[in-house]
Amino acid sequence: MKSDEVLVLATRQFVSGRRLEVGELAAAAGINRSTLYRRFNGRDGLLGEVIWSLTEMTMDAAARRAVGVGGERIATMMREFAVLANSAAYFRDFLSREPERAWRLMTTKVGGVQPRIVERVAAFIDYEVVAGRLDPPMPVPDLALILVRITETFVYANVISGEEPDAAKVAQSCGALLGVRERVTR
């Protein structure tokens, strides 16, 4: 069985709200548990790949839903990403079931998810810059990282501060950093 087939099985299990069990997944895939561990660098590596595949789809959907141009487009894209992430039951389930692991995998370099999100946001920013619709206030990689960190602050608010996630605050904060003068709302 190929790695992408294992990833599909693992993603189905994750989205259904079940904890990823490597032994069970290896049996379903018809491979040895140690083979699965080697291919994905353990359970955390597999979880990181599952989370990234879902995050990538979410980011694409957020980009399609974004409105405006330049800084407004980036700010509304980040808001839409927050809206979609906050509405994904499988992410909320994972955060409540394994909060420390979820936090580590989704918000640090260790999990491999956050660096890829930052790269995607940087690509969206670059697109607006090349189109002449955005003059970034700092180097694009730094700006992308800060925008992602702002978004994490409000998406994971319940874990960080016990407050409810707030996509509107994502748009306001990102918009302020990007020089969007009007309040970015929907």
Side-chain angles (χ1 to χ4, degrees):
M1 176 169 271
K2 296 180 183 176
S3 293
D4 56 338
E5 293 169 352
V6 172
L7 187 57
V8 168
L9 288 172
T11 302
R12 284 186 192 142
Q13 192 173 26
F14 184 83
V15 169
S16 74
R18 293 176 34 227
R19 185 179 190 281
L20 279 189
E21 297 294 345
V22 176
E24 178 184 319
L25 191 57
I31 61 174
N32 186 297
R33 179 184 170 123
S34 62
T35 300
L36 194 143
Y37 265 92
R38 275 193 311 277
R39 285 186 187 171
F40 290 98
N41 198 22
R43 181 173 182 267
D44 283 357
L46 179 58
L47 273 165
E49 289 304 311
V50 166
I51 293 165
W52 170 245
S53 69
L54 295 166
T55 300
E56 186 174 33
M57 290 187 299
T58 303
M59 291 187 81
D60 290 344
R64 287 190 301 274
R65 292 170 54 157
V67 297
V69 297
E72 181 183 13
R73 181 164 183 75
I74 300 301
T76 61
M77 183 196 69
M78 298 309 288
R79 178 196 62 223
E80 293 302 317
F81 178 66
V83 166
L84 294 168
N86 289 337
S87 67
Y90 47 85
F91 280 127
R92 286 193 320 271
D93 291 346
F94 181 51
L95 274 167
S96 64
R97 187 176 58 247
E98 299 181 64
E100 290 175 17
R101 175 171 274 128
W103 185 255
R104 186 179 71 251
L105 292 177
M106 295 190 298
T107 66
T108 69
K109 288 182 180 182
V110 172
V113 176
Q114 187 200 59
R116 290 188 263 187
I117 293 173
V118 172
E119 286 176 18
R120 289 295 299 278
V121 171
F124 290 127
I125 294 168
D126 282 337
Y127 181 83
E128 293 299 317
V129 170
V130 169
R133 299 185 293 242
L134 179 65
D135 181 18
M138 62 185 63
V140 171
D142 297 335
L143 178 59
L145 176 61
I146 291 170
L147 293 173
V148 169
R149 284 297 193 182
I150 288 169
T151 304
E152 289 171 348
T153 298
F154 295 110
V155 168
Y156 305 126
N158 52 349
V159 175
I160 296 170
S161 65
E163 296 178 20
E164 287 301 309
D166 193 335
K169 288 181 181 176
V170 169
Q172 289 173 317
S173 302
C174 291
L177 182 61
L178 293 164
V180 176
R181 299 211 190 299
E182 295 180 26
R183 185 177 174 142
V184 181
T185 60
R186 185 167 203 180

